[in-house]
Amino acid sequence: MKLNPNYSSLKSSYLFIDIAHRVAAYKEKNPAADIIRLGIGDVTLPLAQPVVKALQEASAEMGEAETFHGYGPEQGYPFLRQGIAGYYAARGITLAQEEIFVSDGAKSDIGNILELFSPDNTVLIPDPVYPAYVDANLMDGRKIIYAPATKQNGFLPLPDNSVKADIIYICSPNNPTGAAYTKAQLAQWVNCATKNEAVILFDAAYECFVSSPDVPRSIYEVEGAKECAVEICSLSKTAGFTGTRCGYTIVPNTLFANGQSLNKMWNRRQTTKYNETPYIVQRAAAAVFTPEGLAACHKNIEYYKNNAGVIGKVLDQASVWYSGGINSPYIWMECPNGMDSWQFFDLLLEKANIVGTPGAGFGNNGNGYFRLTGFGNAEKTVEAAARLKAFLSTL
């Protein structure tokens, strides 16, 4: 028996575990501290009522012999795949049902989709970036090269003709920076992938927060993307499914590599290794894509965007540089006075009892930056903003 040697390349623990340990240590020494958490990107509002109703009705179905559901299709039930296709059609994007694969969330598919590709491939990943992209490829032993995202390029790196990669990760709107590509900028990446016969893995988990008309919510709004891109999305942020778990991956029928259909390969993988998302969850997800469901979910999204705006206003007043907030629930701020990310984390926790996410945890280019989230409670966010304002005034 031999272990996978690539695990030795991983950090000993996940970023948010490190944060939890630091907060626990501080709380142990300061048990009376009223800590406001604006760190991890979990939602706080309950599921929308149309979703809850669908969950209840589907649960009742499972208790009756006539409506009980056992194993379902590994690709997802037609009623949900049709709902997702309709969601895209409303934005002018035509998808065939067989191009949509339902999953238990984007995080799973971000790692699982790599099974279609050889470990010999070179992967291009932005820095800073959501840690799962890096870790999933380190586990497989792939060579990783980084596209530097910096303040100078607005944390939106563009293709470099001197850099060649086989797999390209793009997240827009981005986690952690909140920055979002315009259609013209995404077209540069599509052209790059087409020219180099590469595949783009496009993470659209935050598409529901896009409000700028020149920012695509799907890479398939760009001509040629269906020939080079897989899109992975989730209902975690769209509909608050972080604990309910449902997402989907789109693998176009027109996407081929080395003469093979990636759609057929992914279908083969799923039928072997995945036994579908639970029926009751898929019924709940289908309710999201109804007019009533979309309207209710939109109210929640506006709630979170307003929270991000409250934080952004404080930073504007303090003349602190940041990205995000407009098309994203995240605020990516520059740490004041040249502090590194963990210094700022410790000081903010100690002086203001606010927990955020150190940018250094997302990559080398994240050091000196800090992520705050709009996913908190509105009253708590207002309180945190007041504390942040007072704290910044002392620096």
Side-chain angles (χ1 to χ4, degrees), residues 32 115 245 256:
E115 293 185 21
R245 306 312 304 151
F256 286 78

Side-chain angles (χ1 to χ4, degrees), residues 94-106:
T94 301
L95 296 176
Q97 180 175 301
E98 66 268 17
E99 295 177 309
I100 302 167
F101 297 82
V102 178
S103 71
D104 61 358

